[in-house]
Amino acid sequence: MACKNFWWLGLVGGLSLAGMAVAAEPPPQPIPVRQAEINDSFWSPRLQAMRERAIPHGWQYMQWELRALRKAGGQTVTGDLNGTWGEANLHKFLETVAYSLAQHPDPELERQVDGIVDLLKAAQQPDGYLHAYITNNRKPQWDPAFLDGSHDGYVLGHMIEAAIEYHAATGKRAFLDIACRAADQACNHFLGPKGKPGFCGHAELEMALVELHRVTGQARYLELARAFVEWRGRGKVTPAGPTPRAYFQDAEPVRQQRTLEGHAVRALFFATGVADLALVTGEADYRLAANRFWDSTTLRRMTITGSVGPRKEHEAFGEDYELPNNGYYESCAACGLADFALRMFCLERTARNADVLERVLYNAVLHGMALSGTNSYYQNPLTDRNNARYNSWVCCPPNLSRTILQAGRYAVATTARELYVNLFIGGRYECQIGKTTVTLAVATRYPWEGRIQFTVQTKQPATFALNLRRPEWCGAGEVRVNGQPVDSSTLTDSGYWSLPRQWRDGDQVELNLPMPVERWAAHPNAGDCRGKVAVQRGPLVYAFEGLDNAGRPAPTLGADPAFGVEHRPDLLGGITVIKGVAADGQPFVAIPFYALANRQKSTQEVWVNQSGMTPDDRWWEGNLYRRWQLGK
Amino acid sequence: MACKNFWWLGLVGGLSLAGMAVAAEPPPQPIPVRQAEINDSFWSPRLQAMRERAIPHGWQYMQWELRALRKAGGQTVTGDLNGTWGEANLHKFLETVAYSLAQHPDPELERQVDGIVDLLKAAQQPDGYLHAYITNNRKPQWDPAFLDGSHDGYVLGHMIEAAIEYHAATGKRAFLDIACRAADQACNHFLGPKGKPGFCGHAELEMALVELHRVTGQARYLELARAFVEWRGRGKVTPAGPTPRAYFQDAEPVRQQRTLEGHAVRALFFATGVADLALVTGEADYRLAANRFWDSTTLRRMTITGSVGPRKEHEAFGEDYELPNNGYYESCAACGLADFALRMFCLERTARNADVLERVLYNAVLHGMALSGTNSYYQNPLTDRNNARYNSWVCCPPNLSRTILQAGRYAVATTARELYVNLFIGGRYECQIGKTTVTLAVATRYPWEGRIQFTVQTKQPATFALNLRRPEWCGAGEVRVNGQPVDSSTLTDSGYWSLPRQWRDGDQVELNLPMPVERWAAHPNAGDCRGKVAVQRGPLVYAFEGLDNAGRPAPTLGADPAFGVEHRPDLLGGITVIKGVAADGQPFVAIPFYALANRQKSTQEVWVNQSGMTPDDRWWEGNLYRRWQLGK
């Protein structure tokens, strides 16, 4: 039998079948933040706003936390102290600062953090425990009867992540040592001679411990992460009053959970922890569970803007297809989905996972943070009326800033023989591919234009596959290597143009993604979107703000809205607007969803009526959203 | 650190966490049909009806097929010949006969089959190809332009299965040799020097080839099964006209298919083939795909009676939660779901999979076949009016009979150290557990009563875990070993009471499953069931036939319908009826869904209005159906 007929066997050993390759080699690693030097007309202003506005603005909200730390460290303080979960905000803020330092060294800022590290060290208890609120209020550590309220694991998890990133940014070990001691206390508390099963009701520690295991090589951190996941659904903790156990992802053991349920942020952090365990342990059951959670979330419970968690009660996921336009959709849940998507890409290596990452990042996450970098939204509905950004400091602002500052990490990942480009962000990415260091320079005006130019910079020829994501929104697309178009066989089942070759210094790759304005429809089960379309161009979902449309909340679109685009450098930091003519003959202007609510109060709508739209009874084949065209 | 806190690590090496154990040892094997000696008040009459009524009745419908075989073998024949897919009916019928012979030797019946085997041998082409319709009509073998119509693979698959079972029942090799030669021709056609990628649009060959690989040890059969799965979604065949590619499960590569779509029978056979590949190859991607198909089907697209495929157009799956009570629900799809469920149990070892197996077998499958054994339903709606069983012979009758005759195989499975009991059917099961042969004797009046008595019969003490399924419908349940109740820790996450011990001859286990009449509600997304309940007792879904209720189609239930049960040996072969009082004060009688339409024409309803029912906005946590009680 000739080999040609066993072509699919070739794929097994090759690059194109994602799942099969997983077994064969270690999963992709996202690039460290410090190795991504972003220089991009779209992202650079956003990173700058985090650095120059969000961080200086954020300090004022750290005072409760710092006061509490001082008190826990034995100082006498006056004034209000933080609440139980507030201490996580300090750590999310420090993680934000760490990313900023990794990209833009700033000795004065670093000195400020070092001062806080000193406070943390002083506040750390002799046994290693470090949660000032609990210490100051003489509450029990890791109180199992206070599953929801204590947030021990949530705060510790964020501390670990901040410490890891501060170490990565500065090379200083003090904060990391503090975090390790606190993590050791947790390990001892749960896994030690007097320990007993339990877990924190707000997931977060799981993924932080897996990361700490990666950084330190210590098995105990992985074991505690695994235990926190395994102990769920076994009645190992006392439920906090009438709250349903599904709120904590505790209704069933992880292998029996078929959907991702409960408080959306907790649920996504939990799912991310499960995916992390799958990545590190290679265990098939964790991979299966992570995929169940992923499908449940992204195929049936995610808005077109990448938001999740529509219910105000319990800040929770709803049922399948429960996607009200006026839903809750907390910003932190969007941040959580971005991190979950990154893990799922590493696990499955399919463009589909990074498609969600792009959707949530360019829409829900950026919408959560005002252009100014100082205001933010807690909720991100798809229809709104006259709501201004609020200026209080709950959990979302430092979560949004730490997510946005990780843009470079989300963009590029490597294995020993592959370089994946998932997001198209201009800059220089220093990539470790096996034993070779290669720099990928990226130039683009994405998301406004679909042309992306890549230049390989390498001291010596390097053999690897450059895998460029084909975005889900892109029907076509052209790739050229040193000016020569590549053929369609380079596009893999996994949704990447895969270019394996020996790359030489100066090699050029150009990706051209046509970027028409398109209308998207939602699955007929999503009742709130029935008869409506959303307008999308490239990765950006657009929305209608009354301000741009003489106060009219939203147009009804006709068969051909005569869509046109215009780049407006003057407007909202520079955006491309979509113009057209509504069914009633009135002109309309749409702006990116992320740019809403940055001027005065107004109406806001994503889904708009489409005349002539009929129920689509074709098979949706597992899609939640898809392109729509009249009569097709 | 004390071992007691690593209790979950113990599970990894133990018996209770299904998925983890998969990696550690070979999957369970269902018991061969001939080793299950059924002696059961519920099932014995059904097996007898297949043996004494369905088989004799079926011969008349074989005449077209046998005439076609004679013609293909060079004989001159007169009269109508079969159509393209009809030949599969002959093989399903022969498989039915094989199961009957395995359980009840019958030399005359065996002689008849041997005569057919001679005809098959004569009709087989020199290259091994054997499909009389194609040969007689001089059509191209494996015509890729006739994906839907040719049914080459479908017919060959059923031939292989019949041949394997006839060999298992009689020890005779002639039929199996013919099937192997035909399978070799297929391997050569697709994988040989002049072969080219393609597959049959009606899945079936995939699972048959995996089974043939198991029986013969030949790698090529597994390779072709894998190729038929892998070639889907790659444009390797010419679509049959305007039929959507999803109809053939060909819209996307298997790893990219997120839901099970298209023609329900084809889809389930395809999914079963994927699960078989996962079982034999151990490949994680196939396991993930099989689980996606399983969740898609059983959590969102299955009626409470275990039926699938509501759409008449394309005999297809609908969208999630598209579960109209007057849907199509072909009997063959129910048979396919039973086989898929068995594979999924072997893959995951969770009771949940066997719960679906029980639901579909005791409801949809038995409903498809009349009590007489000679009539059947092609469609199995949950509401009907005055439809009699039809008496034509399409694809379902021999599929139903071969499924019903496999009851023993569905009931029990073994690994090298476990004996799983999935269905509670009285009889004697000769089980190979590692190197030990153990007979499990089962006595019960299930499904009418919930007491099941097991007796271990073994020549020497045997160490294994007896794993008894806890049915999903069972809230409580008690297990006794030699009269002593076992504690709750024996109930695993996977839903089995697991009893590992050294078993001695005569050891007794008793399982008591309380069997109250219960009302079940459907997920709020299933619009046709809104405001309604279905009545279930044990594994049986009940229904209301006008005949028993003075012509009233269905009662509206009040808060307390005062349910009572009465066993009626005289009625419909002996059934337990449910009685009660409707909201309007009228008495009602419900009979098992499977027993509907066995008298004169009447109305039939499964879902009935429930007064006082309010929308349930709790989290359904992935459940499609769950118990309902007013105010809870």
Side-chain angles (χ1 to χ4, degrees):
Chain A
M1 297 182 188
C3 280
K4 77 177 171 70
N5 293 305
F6 285 95
W7 61 273
W8 50 270
L9 275 179
L11 296 181
V12 176
L15 298 160
S16 40
L17 286 189
M20 286 186 159
V22 167
E25 58 169 310
Q29 289 284 331
I31 192 174
V33 170
R34 65 184 304 169
Q35 289 172 218
E37 186 187 322
I38 307 287
N39 183 4
D40 183 86
S41 60
F42 183 82
W43 280 97
S44 292
R46 279 168 179 77
L47 304 187
Q48 190 180 6
M50 296 303 98
R51 199 165 62 241
E52 297 181 1
R53 306 289 307 279
I55 291 174
H57 176 78
W59 281 113
Q60 62 187 294
Y61 300 101
M62 296 300 110
Q63 299 317 310
W64 295 279
E65 322 303 337
L66 297 178
R67 227 176 270 137
L69 278 186
R70 287 194 188 93
K71 182 176 176 188
Q75 298 183 36
T76 304
V77 298
T78 54
D80 289 343
L81 303 180
N82 67 357
T84 169
W85 54 263
E87 213 153 315
N89 267 1
L90 171 66
H91 298 302
K92 285 187 273 185
F93 182 74
L94 293 176
E95 188 185 341
T96 298
V97 172
Y99 293 131
S100 179
L101 291 172
Q103 297 169 64
H104 284 262
D106 179 337
E108 172 56 23
L109 187 59
E110 193 171 321
R111 197 191 54 74
Q112 284 180 279
V113 176
D114 288 339
I116 295 172
V117 172
D118 289 341
L119 293 180
L120 286 163
K121 190 168 185 180
Q124 189 159 37
Q125 299 302 293
D127 64 356
Y129 185 83
L130 175 44
H131 188 167
Y133 169 82
I134 301 291
T135 300
N136 291 338
N137 292 281
R138 301 175 197 281
K139 294 195 179 272
Q141 299 174 0
W142 301 104
D143 186 355
F146 195 39
L147 182 63
D148 178 25
S150 70
H151 285 81
D152 296 69
Y154 172 71
V155 169
L156 174 56
H158 278 300
M159 178 164 66
I160 291 170
E161 292 186 341
I164 289 171
E165 295 303 334
Y166 191 63
H167 175 252
T170 65
K172 293 178 179 171
R173 276 208 64 98
F175 192 4
L176 187 58
D177 289 340
I178 291 166
C180 285
R181 284 191 63 213
D184 291 342
Q185 192 276 339
C187 289
N188 193 54
H189 180 90
F190 289 103
L191 303 175
K194 293 181 183 172
K196 66 170 193 169
F199 60 89
C200 176
H202 196 313
E204 159 67 28
L205 184 56
E206 296 82 352
M207 60 174 140
L209 285 169
V210 174
E211 194 63 25
L212 193 60
H213 161 77
R214 281 200 193 107
V215 170
T216 65
Q218 296 295 326
R220 60 183 175 277
Y221 302 138
L222 190 59
E223 296 312 319
L224 186 58
R226 188 201 281 269
F228 266 37
V229 166
E230 292 290 343
W231 282 334
R232 280 182 160 81
R234 299 176 191 281
K236 295 292 177 195
V237 293
T238 311
T243 311
R245 286 175 54 181
Y247 177 84
F248 312 110
Q249 300 73 55
D250 185 33
E252 285 185 290
V254 61
R255 287 166 190 75
Q256 271 63 45
Q257 293 181 23
R258 292 166 290 185
T259 44
L260 195 59
E261 302 286 345
H263 185 272
V265 178
R266 294 166 192 242
L268 283 159
F269 287 10
F270 172 67
T272 305
V274 173
D276 270 331
L277 281 172
L279 281 164
V280 171
T281 67
E283 281 175 33
D285 277 11
Y286 292 138
R287 181 185 174 208
L288 181 57
N291 271 283
R292 280 215 170 94
F293 298 150
W294 177 254
D295 285 358
S296 160
T297 302
T298 62
L299 301 180
R300 295 185 296 280
R301 302 186 182 188
M302 180 183 76
T303 70
I304 196 165
T305 52
S307 272
V308 291
R311 293 191 181 177
K312 184 174 182 182
E313 189 191 22
H314 296 306
E315 309 189 308
F317 276 108
E319 292 300 319
D320 286 354
Y321 303 103
E322 183 180 328
L323 294 164
N325 288 326
N326 64 353
Y328 194 74
Y329 307 127
E330 182 183 342
S331 291
C332 281
C335 296
L337 181 54
D339 278 331
F340 184 31
L342 181 64
R343 292 345 186 262
M344 290 306 295
F345 157 73
C346 294
L347 200 53
E348 302 298 334
R349 306 179 193 204
T350 55
R352 181 176 291 162
N353 310 107
D355 287 337
V356 172
L357 174 59
E358 182 177 71
R359 185 175 289 283
V360 62
L361 210 56
Y362 280 82
N363 298 285
V365 167
L366 291 185
H367 178 269
M369 178 64 79
L371 296 177
S372 67
T374 53
N375 276 337
S376 67
Y377 265 145
Y378 191 89
Q379 300 172 33
N380 298 275
L382 282 71
T383 176
D384 210 348
R385 190 166 292 261
N386 301 329
N387 285 327
R389 305 259 179 186
Y390 68 94
N391 201 352
S392 70
W393 186 274
V394 200
C395 51
C396 299
N399 214 350
L400 289 161
S401 59
R402 79 184 181 116
T403 301
I404 291 167
L405 280 167
Q406 289 179 72
R409 168 182 283 166
Y410 294 128
V412 169
T414 59
T415 71
R417 53 196 184 105
E418 295 160 302
L419 197 173
Y420 283 92
V421 180
N422 281 322
L423 301 182
F424 306 117
I425 302 177
R428 296 177 76 253
Y429 301 85
E430 189 188 311
C431 303
Q432 198 65 34
I433 304 170
K435 291 176 181 166
T436 311
T437 302
V438 173
T439 296
L440 188 72
V442 182
T444 185
R445 284 191 41 76
Y446 194 91
W448 311 124
E449 297 174 12
R451 190 160 73 111
I452 306 117
Q453 290 170 292
F454 304 90
T455 306
V456 176
Q457 299 172 346
T458 178
K459 287 185 181 155
Q460 60 213 31
T463 300
F464 63 91
L466 179 64
N467 294 340
L468 307 176
R469 179 175 66 98
R470 185 182 69 162
E472 62 169 336
W473 53 261
C474 175
E478 189 199 50
V479 181
R480 288 174 180 268
V481 177
N482 294 327
Q484 296 302 311
V486 303
D487 72 37
S488 63
S489 70
T490 57
L491 184 61
T492 68
D493 287 349
S494 302
Y496 289 88
W497 285 288
S498 185
L499 311 170
R501 57 186 279 159
Q502 193 186 52
W503 295 95
R504 293 167 185 281
D505 189 53
D507 276 344
Q508 303 270 340
V509 178
E510 185 172 309
L511 177 57
N512 271 293
L513 307 172
M515 223 178 239
V517 178
E518 293 190 297
R519 283 171 279 185
W520 286 63
H523 192 285
N525 282 355
D528 240 22
C529 306
R530 222 169 277 160
K532 298 183 182 224
V533 293
V535 175
Q536 186 172 334
R537 178 172 179 267
L540 297 176
V541 175
Y542 276 68
F544 299 83
E545 196 157 28
L547 286 171
D548 302 305
N549 293 289
R552 293 185 297 273
T556 291
L557 301 187
D560 178 10
F563 287 123
V565 296
E566 181 189 352
H567 195 70
R568 293 273 305 275
D570 56 307
L571 188 64
L572 292 161
I575 59 170
T576 294
V577 300
I578 294 175
K579 296 181 166 185
V581 179
D584 63 4
Q586 296 277 358
F588 63 75
V589 170
I591 66 170
F593 174 72
Y594 81 77
L596 288 176
N598 276 287
R599 295 170 290 181
Q600 61 269 42
K601 294 178 180 182
S602 181
T603 59
Q604 305 165 10
E605 295 290 345
V606 169
W607 290 96
V608 297
N609 290 324
Q610 172 63 54
S611 70
M613 196 173 186
T614 49
D616 186 343
D617 60 357
R618 291 179 302 164
W619 295 320
W620 278 68
E621 293 169 24
N623 291 297
L624 181 53
Y625 303 103
R626 65 181 182 198
R627 282 188 204 78
W628 181 88
Q629 214 175 329
L630 191 65
K632 288 198 181 173
Chain B
M1 296 181 189
C3 280
K4 76 177 172 73
N5 294 303
F6 284 95
W7 60 272
W8 51 268
L9 275 178
L11 296 181
V12 176
L15 299 161
S16 40
L17 286 188
M20 286 186 160
V22 168
E25 59 168 308
Q29 289 284 332
I31 192 174
V33 170
R34 65 184 304 170
Q35 289 172 218
E37 187 188 321
I38 307 288
N39 183 4
D40 183 86
S41 60
F42 183 82
W43 280 97
S44 291
R46 280 169 179 75
L47 305 186
Q48 189 181 5
M50 297 302 99
R51 200 166 61 240
E52 297 181 2
R53 305 291 307 279
I55 291 175
H57 175 78
W59 280 113
Q60 61 187 292
Y61 300 101
M62 296 301 110
Q63 300 316 312
W64 295 280
E65 322 303 338
L66 297 178
R67 225 175 271 140
L69 278 186
R70 286 193 189 94
K71 182 175 176 190
Q75 298 183 36
T76 305
V77 297
T78 53
D80 289 341
L81 303 180
N82 66 358
T84 167
W85 55 264
E87 213 152 318
N89 266 1
L90 171 66
H91 297 303
K92 285 187 274 187
F93 183 74
L94 294 176
E95 188 184 341
T96 298
V97 172
Y99 292 132
S100 179
L101 291 173
Q103 297 168 64
H104 284 262
D106 179 337
E108 170 57 23
L109 188 59
E110 194 172 321
R111 196 191 54 74
Q112 284 180 282
V113 176
D114 289 339
I116 295 173
V117 172
D118 290 340
L119 293 180
L120 286 163
K121 190 167 185 181
Q124 189 160 36
Q125 299 300 296
D127 64 355
Y129 185 83
L130 175 44
H131 187 167
Y133 169 83
I134 301 291
T135 301
N136 291 338
N137 293 279
R138 302 173 196 281
K139 294 197 179 271
Q141 298 175 1
W142 302 104
D143 186 354
F146 196 39
L147 181 63
D148 178 24
S150 69
H151 285 79
D152 296 66
Y154 172 70
V155 169
L156 175 57
H158 278 299
M159 177 163 67
I160 291 169
E161 292 186 341
I164 289 170
E165 296 303 334
Y166 191 64
H167 175 252
T170 65
K172 292 178 180 171
R173 276 206 64 96
F175 193 4
L176 187 59
D177 289 341
I178 291 167
C180 286
R181 283 191 62 212
D184 291 342
Q185 192 274 340
C187 290
N188 192 54
H189 180 90
F190 289 103
L191 303 175
K194 292 182 182 173
K196 66 170 192 169
F199 60 90
C200 175
H202 197 314
E204 159 68 29
L205 185 56
E206 297 82 353
M207 59 174 141
L209 285 170
V210 174
E211 195 63 26
L212 192 60
H213 161 76
R214 281 199 195 107
V215 171
T216 64
Q218 296 295 327
R220 61 182 176 276
Y221 302 137
L222 190 60
E223 295 312 319
L224 186 58
R226 186 201 283 268
F228 267 36
V229 166
E230 292 290 344
W231 282 333
R232 281 180 159 81
R234 299 176 191 280
K236 295 293 177 194
V237 294
T238 311
T243 311
R245 284 175 54 180
Y247 177 84
F248 312 109
Q249 300 73 54
D250 185 34
E252 284 186 290
V254 62
R255 286 166 190 74
Q256 272 63 45
Q257 294 181 22
R258 293 168 288 184
T259 44
L260 194 60
E261 301 286 344
H263 185 274
V265 178
R266 295 164 192 244
L268 284 160
F269 286 10
F270 172 67
T272 305
V274 173
D276 271 331
L277 281 172
L279 281 164
V280 172
T281 67
E283 282 175 31
D285 278 11
Y286 291 139
R287 182 184 173 207
L288 181 57
N291 272 283
R292 280 216 171 94
F293 298 150
W294 178 254
D295 285 358
S296 159
T297 302
T298 62
L299 300 181
R300 296 186 295 280
R301 302 187 181 187
M302 180 183 76
T303 70
I304 196 165
T305 51
S307 273
V308 291
R311 292 191 182 178
K312 183 173 181 181
E313 189 191 19
H314 296 307
E315 307 188 309
F317 277 108
E319 292 301 319
D320 286 352
Y321 303 102
E322 183 180 328
L323 294 163
N325 288 325
N326 64 354
Y328 194 75
Y329 306 127
E330 181 183 343
S331 291
C332 281
C335 296
L337 181 54
D339 278 331
F340 185 31
L342 180 64
R343 286 1 179 252
M344 290 306 294
F345 156 73
C346 294
L347 200 52
E348 302 299 335
R349 307 178 193 205
T350 55
R352 180 175 291 161
N353 310 109
D355 286 336
V356 172
L357 175 58
E358 181 178 72
R359 185 174 288 284
V360 61
L361 211 55
Y362 280 82
N363 298 287
V365 167
L366 290 185
H367 179 270
M369 178 64 78
L371 297 176
S372 67
T374 53
N375 275 337
S376 67
Y377 266 147
Y378 191 88
Q379 300 173 33
N380 298 275
L382 282 73
T383 176
D384 210 347
R385 190 167 291 262
N386 299 329
N387 285 326
R389 304 259 179 185
Y390 67 92
N391 201 350
S392 69
W393 187 273
V394 198
C395 51
C396 298
N399 214 350
L400 289 161
S401 59
R402 80 185 182 113
T403 301
I404 291 166
L405 281 166
Q406 288 180 73
R409 168 182 282 167
Y410 294 128
V412 169
T414 60
T415 71
R417 52 198 185 104
E418 295 160 301
L419 197 173
Y420 284 91
V421 180
N422 281 322
L423 302 182
F424 306 117
I425 302 177
R428 296 176 77 253
Y429 301 85
E430 188 188 312
C431 303
Q432 198 64 34
I433 304 170
K435 289 176 181 167
T436 312
T437 302
V438 172
T439 297
L440 188 72
V442 182
T444 183
R445 283 190 41 76
Y446 195 89
W448 309 124
E449 297 175 13
R451 190 160 73 111
I452 306 117
Q453 290 170 293
F454 304 90
T455 306
V456 176
Q457 299 173 346
T458 178
K459 287 185 183 156
Q460 59 213 31
T463 299
F464 62 91
L466 179 63
N467 294 340
L468 306 176
R469 180 175 65 98
R470 184 182 71 163
E472 62 169 337
W473 53 262
C474 175
E478 189 199 49
V479 181
R480 289 174 180 269
V481 177
N482 295 327
Q484 297 302 309
V486 303
D487 72 36
S488 64
S489 71
T490 56
L491 185 61
T492 68
D493 288 349
S494 302
Y496 290 88
W497 285 288
S498 185
L499 311 170
R501 58 185 279 159
Q502 193 187 53
W503 295 96
R504 292 166 187 281
D505 189 53
D507 276 345
Q508 303 269 339
V509 178
E510 184 171 309
L511 177 56
N512 272 292
L513 307 172
M515 224 178 236
V517 178
E518 294 191 296
R519 284 171 278 184
W520 287 63
H523 192 285
N525 282 355
D528 239 23
C529 305
R530 224 169 276 161
K532 299 184 182 221
V533 293
V535 175
Q536 186 172 335
R537 179 172 179 266
L540 297 176
V541 176
Y542 276 69
F544 299 83
E545 196 158 28
L547 287 172
D548 302 306
N549 293 289
R552 292 186 298 276
T556 291
L557 301 188
D560 178 10
F563 288 123
V565 298
E566 182 189 350
H567 195 69
R568 293 273 304 276
D570 56 307
L571 188 63
L572 293 161
I575 58 171
T576 294
V577 301
I578 294 176
K579 296 179 167 189
V581 180
D584 62 3
Q586 298 277 357
F588 63 75
V589 169
I591 65 170
F593 174 72
Y594 80 77
L596 289 176
N598 277 287
R599 296 171 289 182
Q600 61 268 44
K601 294 179 180 183
S602 180
T603 61
Q604 305 165 8
E605 295 290 344
V606 169
W607 290 95
V608 297
N609 290 324
Q610 172 63 54
S611 69
M613 196 172 186
T614 50
D616 186 343
D617 60 357
R618 292 180 302 166
W619 296 320
W620 278 67
E621 294 170 23
N623 290 298
L624 181 52
Y625 304 104
R626 66 180 179 198
R627 281 187 204 79
W628 181 88
Q629 214 175 328
L630 191 64
K632 289 198 180 172

